[in-house]
Amino acid sequence: MSTTTTPKPSPQGVDLYARFALAGALCCGITHGALTPVDVVKTLKQLEPTVYNRGMVASFRQVISTKGPGALLTGIGPTFAGYFLQGAFKFGGYEFFKKQFVTAVGQEKAVENRTAIYLASSAMAEFFADVALCPLEATRIRLVSQPSFANGLLGGFTRLYKEEGILRGFYSGFVPILFKQIPYTMAKFVVFELVSEQIFKALPTKKSDLSNGMITTVNLGSGLVAGACAAIISQPADTLLSKINKQKGAEGSITSRLVTLAKELGPKGLFLGLGTRIVMVGVLTAGQFAIYGDIKRVLNATGGTEIGKNSH
């Protein structure tokens, strides 16, 4: 007697978006954690430009010779934890809001206005992601700028809370992190979606018939382009974020402090460390989209909303 295997139904609703969130959490936590050494060097170049005033490779050697190899892993705890949370909200939220927009306007109009939907969905998702990220990013930057501040994530987080409170300690960088992350994420998703759409259209085989390896390769290439564009757009706010988190207990409103810092730095100062950041964000974003796509496939999270023109 022969038996037939019933295909496992695709997840729907909360189950589906929980899988998107988990895939996003893992792809962001893994990639940001792995690139902690690059982030340490980038942050030090922004905080102490007169000391770390050479290229990326030379700055790596300088950090190792002056602070020891272990310094390159400073803040890895809050980096992984913060971006794990942020990735869940960012990717899960992006998929959720994209679906809501498509449902509201209909598939045909959604395809016609897909760029606007990509931008709006990513901006809304990033706002909530930053609420989760900001306290851990503030802790990471304090650990990098003041290595003696605490021994790790828990110690740094607790001390920052006790000494400076929630708003000044954890969210003094919330406005600049929004200015940095929202344009960054909007550029990241829209460029990825549009570049991957063009690549899939140019291939002789339909997307649905491509091998998993080819889809991962397209995700990597599209992510690399998206990351480079996003890095350039968000660089000034990234510099301001590093500076403002270094100012322990500084006086004045966040807005006034941002304006003052921007004037002091000037256009050139706002783009300090751009080369390092393009390398970091390009590789990071490529890895994120590749890992995200692969984990979604493993989790059977295949019910996402597609509005790109991928037909031949």
Side-chain angles (χ1 to χ4, degrees):
M1 180 177 176
S2 61
T3 59
T4 57
T5 303
T6 303
K8 190 175 181 180
S10 297
Q12 302 290 328
V14 174
D15 185 17
L16 176 62
Y17 291 102
R19 296 180 193 216
F20 287 146
L22 178 58
L26 288 171
C27 81
C28 287
I30 290 168
T31 51
H32 278 278
L35 284 172
T36 294
V38 181
D39 209 17
V40 168
V41 173
K42 183 264 299 179
T43 301
L44 287 172
K45 286 172 71 69
Q46 292 173 329
L47 295 176
E48 302 177 54
T50 56
V51 177
Y52 300 95
N53 54 7
R54 292 178 283 178
M56 183 167 64
V57 175
S59 294
F60 262 95
R61 292 173 180 163
Q62 188 178 0
V63 172
I64 292 171
S65 64
T66 58
K67 297 175 179 285
L72 292 174
L73 295 179
T74 302
I76 191 170
T79 296
F80 179 83
Y83 284 98
F84 185 90
L85 281 174
Q86 191 219 33
F89 283 99
K90 177 185 291 189
F91 282 85
Y94 175 71
E95 300 280 7
F96 174 78
F97 288 121
K98 185 168 66 169
K99 172 64 174 175
Q100 304 314 305
F101 281 119
V102 172
T103 301
V105 303
Q107 183 72 21
E108 187 176 336
K109 285 190 176 181
V111 172
E112 293 174 1
N113 299 282
R114 61 194 181 284
T115 300
I117 289 176
Y118 296 148
L119 290 170
S121 301
S122 57
M124 293 171 71
E126 185 59 44
F127 177 85
F128 292 103
D130 290 342
V131 174
L133 171 67
C134 201
L136 292 152
E137 179 70 353
T139 303
R140 181 195 72 80
I141 291 176
R142 185 62 61 88
L143 290 174
V144 172
S145 63
Q146 297 175 232
S148 61
F149 185 74
N151 291 324
L153 168 57
L154 186 59
F157 191 90
T158 304
R159 182 177 173 186
L160 200 56
Y161 171 71
K162 287 180 178 177
E163 293 185 1
E164 301 186 33
I166 294 175
L167 288 180
R168 184 166 290 279
F170 292 145
Y171 286 98
S172 64
F174 186 59
V175 173
I177 213 172
L178 288 179
F179 279 118
K180 167 197 166 185
Q181 288 293 138
I182 289 181
Y184 162 80
T185 299
M186 291 169 74
K188 169 178 168 176
F189 277 102
V190 76
V191 172
F192 172 81
E193 295 275 19
L194 297 178
V195 170
S196 61
E197 176 183 318
Q198 293 305 311
I199 294 174
F200 284 126
K201 284 171 67 175
L203 294 173
T205 306
K206 289 184 178 181
K207 182 180 178 181
S208 57
D209 297 329
L210 291 173
S211 67
N212 292 337
M214 178 58 71
I215 291 175
T216 300
T217 301
V218 174
N219 288 343
L220 276 168
S222 304
L224 193 63
V225 176
C229 294
I232 295 169
I233 288 171
S234 61
Q235 177 65 16
D238 185 64
T239 301
L240 290 173
L241 178 64
S242 293
K243 294 286 187 182
I244 204 166
N245 275 316
K246 189 183 179 183
Q247 296 180 332
K248 179 182 177 180
E251 296 299 323
S253 68
I254 294 174
T255 303
S256 65
R257 289 161 61 193
L258 285 173
V259 171
T260 301
L261 280 171
K263 287 180 179 178
E264 290 175 356
L265 291 167
K268 183 178 180 181
L270 288 171
F271 283 92
L272 284 171
L274 178 60
T276 304
R277 192 159 181 267
I278 286 177
V279 172
M280 175 185 167
V281 176
V283 173
L284 180 145
T285 305
Q288 280 180 0
F289 280 113
I291 293 170
Y292 181 63
D294 289 349
I295 293 177
K296 281 199 303 179
R297 187 168 61 248
V298 170
L299 295 176
N300 194 31
T302 56
T305 303
E306 296 280 348
I307 51 176
K309 293 183 177 179
N310 292 319
S311 59
H312 291 281

